[in-house]
Amino acid sequence: MQAKNRQWVLAARPDGLVKTTDFAWAEGPVPEPGPGEFLVRVHYLSLAPVMRRYMIDGAGIEKPLAFGDVMHGRGAGMVVKSNHPDFAVGDAVHGPMGWQDYKVLDGTRLTFKVRQRVAPLHTALGCLGITGFTAYIGLFDLCEPKPGQTVLVSGAAGGVGSIVGPLAKIAGCRVIGIAGGPEKCARLTSQLGYDAAIDYRNSDVAAEIAKAAPEGINIYFDNVGGPVTDAALGHLADKARVAVCGQISQYLATGELYGIRNFGQVLKKHARIEGFFVYLHADRFEEAETRMSQWVADGRLPILVDIKDGLEQMPAALRGLYLGENIGKQVVRVAPDPW
Ligand SMILES: NC(=O)c1ccc[n+]([C@@H]2O[C@H](COP(=O)([O-])OP(=O)(O)OC[C@H]3O[C@@H](n4cnc5c(N)ncnc54)[C@H](OP(=O)(O)O)[C@@H]3O)[C@@H](O)[C@H]2O)c1
């Protein structure tokens, strides 16, 4: 039987939380690569909070979508046909696949060969892909952790946060994670090596940070913004560093965004606060992949992944990110792992 290309296309712009009806299912023929192009069979697709913005305006990263366009998103897969000198049949790649089974690429636009074979291919979307590079660059390049320092991570059980914690442990730090709910908090300490966990949904975050870090926080890796970040800024140690990676608590806000009250602490504690966008640090990806592959192989970097099965699951999986349903990096398996 002829293979077909199943796709999710944009049907409506999200109003509040993403709904499954914001997407429509489509099917078409598998595309053919032209000169200088190659065809990828997608095995895994990534889910990321930024995707809701793709549905609205492209987030300044992707081309804004029209209704009927295939939803943007990164994926990992295998080259199955190639007219490209640098990408051969059998190469594993991660890149801008879109929510579909097959994608023709030309090797540009943040498409990378997967060089490591130490872990399943889904890690090319997790710790050994852009999510992991985000954790690596935000922690090591922006915050320069030193042994014995205290690192606080918000969104600690999510894709990025579940990698920052173990990396900070590798750097010899004491690590405190903030996540929603007792199950996630238990996983932080039992599976990811966090020294302490704070359940922001069921506790006074400021009081818990003060208890867990009486000397203050040397590094704060922020994935969520809002009141959690306010509480963190209230407990900075002298010369603290803050990496602003994400602000998920504010992504669905309508009207006024949360106003940080403790910003004065940045001055008082001589702190440095820096935002970053991972795609602008592509020259650091190779080092990040090499070092983190070694740490995965050595068993020092645990893999926490949340896999849903079937392309059909994509809309629900995206919605789940905003509801805190994922533990670890959320991916959808579109086809069986190739190795
Ligand atoms: N700067 C960059 O280049 C870059 C690159 C990648 C990602 N990011 C950002 O990094 C952050 C993490 O991304 P990710 O892909 O790893 O997503 P993720 O953390 O795996 O998924 C979202 C998680 O956010 C938490 N969350 C949802 N609503 C929240 C709220 N109102 N307050 C606090 N936490 C909330 C939920 O965990 P709980 O159950 O714990 O609430 C949920 O599981 C996002 O803000 C994303 O935009 C930035």
Side-chain angles (χ1 to χ4, degrees), residues 22 36 54 56 60 64 103 106 112 126 161-162 183 199 222 258 278 296 301 336:
D22 294 338
Y54 293 166
I56 297 169
K103 172 75 176 177
D106 63 7
F112 303 100
S162 65
E183 191 197 342
D199 176 358
D222 186 20
Y258 180 89
V278 65
V296 169
L301 179 54

Side-chain angles (χ1 to χ4, degrees), residues 47-50 131 134 155 158-161 179-180 184 200-201 223-224 244-249 251 276-278 321-322 324-326 328-329:
L47 280 303
V50 71
T131 305
T134 303
V160 175
K184 286 190 182 185
Y200 78 92
R201 292 191 201 272
N223 285 308
V224 309
V244 182
C245 175
Q247 301 278 288
I248 191 168
S249 73
Y251 294 169
F276 72 106
F277 178 45
V278 65
L321 287 184
Y322 299 97
E325 288 175 357
N326 61 307
K329 172 66 192 176

Side-chain angles (χ1 to χ4, degrees), residues 8-13 17-24 55 315 319:
W8 280 109
V9 301
L10 185 71
R13 311 253 176 234
L17 197 56
V18 174
K19 298 187 292 298
T20 52
T21 50
D22 294 338
F23 305 90
M55 301 165 72
R319 181 180 167 85

